[in-house]
Amino acid sequence: MTLEPEFPSNPRMRVGEADRERVAELLNQAAAERRLELDEYQRRLDAAYAAVTYAELRPLVEDLPAPAPVHPRIGGVPGSRTSVAIASGAWRKGTWVVPRAHRSIAVWGRAEIDLREACFAEREVVITALALLGGVEILVPEDVTVRIEGVGVLGAFYGDAQEAGPDAPVVRIRGLATWGAVHIRRVPR
């Protein structure tokens, strides 16, 4: 593993406590994945906290894989699992955490799911939309991958599926539109 982006080009520069903690975190992850035996982990951890220069830190982690990147919009305590609009309206918007599974139901009503400011409890979430004589509109920003798997029967289930990048959150939209519509719309964040 190369850590060039994280370590300065001059290996004789002195390290700070944040540098030691970053290396300790990489070692903790490697130990949790059983890439390091306990005695090797402890030896490297002691060396990390005793390091004075980057030249001493680099060898402690250069044979370990880089941690998988975490998208800044993934994580948090999940919000409501259901949005229901029966002869009325329902909205989920602003800053909220989309749970692993969310259901949006509109019967003679309108539901709006706005994901522009949302975070996601997990990297992949599923929104199940049901529109019966009503409508569900889902607003998805450009930095989120969308996969559409819904069906319109005497109704419309449509929108723009799009890939946003390898570490982007994935929203899988499933459901049914009967005498109504489910519309997935791409919007700027």
Side-chain angles (χ1 to χ4, degrees), residues 5 24 40 48 50 74 77 84-85 89 95 111 120 128-129 131 143 162-164 166 170 172 177:
E40 177 70 8
I74 298 173
V77 177
V84 179
T95 54
F120 303 89
T128 302
D143 64 342
Q162 186 172 345
E163 294 293 319
V170 176
R172 200 174 286 280

Side-chain angles (χ1 to χ4, degrees), residues 24-57:
E25 189 59 40
L26 289 170
L27 294 171
N28 289 339
Q29 183 175 348
E33 294 170 352
R34 301 189 69 141
R35 295 179 189 278
L36 296 174
E37 294 298 325
L38 187 56
D39 58 335
E40 177 70 8
Y41 162 72
Q42 190 61 54
R43 183 189 65 72
R44 290 186 189 201
L45 191 61
D46 292 342
Y49 284 116
V52 176
T53 67
Y54 287 103
E56 296 170 84
L57 280 182

Side-chain angles (χ1 to χ4, degrees), residues 94-173:
T95 54
W96 66 297
V97 179
V98 181
R100 182 176 55 82
H102 182 85
R103 289 176 196 84
S104 184
I105 302 166
V107 179
W108 287 8
R110 180 174 185 278
E112 181 180 300
I113 308 296
D114 187 341
L115 303 176
R116 287 179 287 190
E117 297 177 35
C119 289
F120 303 89
E122 297 181 16
R123 184 177 176 278
E124 185 169 325
V125 299
V126 175
I127 295 176
T128 302
L130 173 62
L132 178 59
L133 295 167
V136 176
E137 183 171 30
I138 303 171
L139 305 174
V140 185
E142 296 150 344
D143 64 342
V144 173
T145 294
V146 177
R147 301 206 174 110
I148 301 171
E149 303 168 353
V151 173
V153 177
L154 299 174
F157 202 110
Y158 63 101
D160 300 322
Q162 186 172 345
E163 294 293 319
D167 65 331
V170 176
V171 176
R172 200 174 286 280
I173 301 172

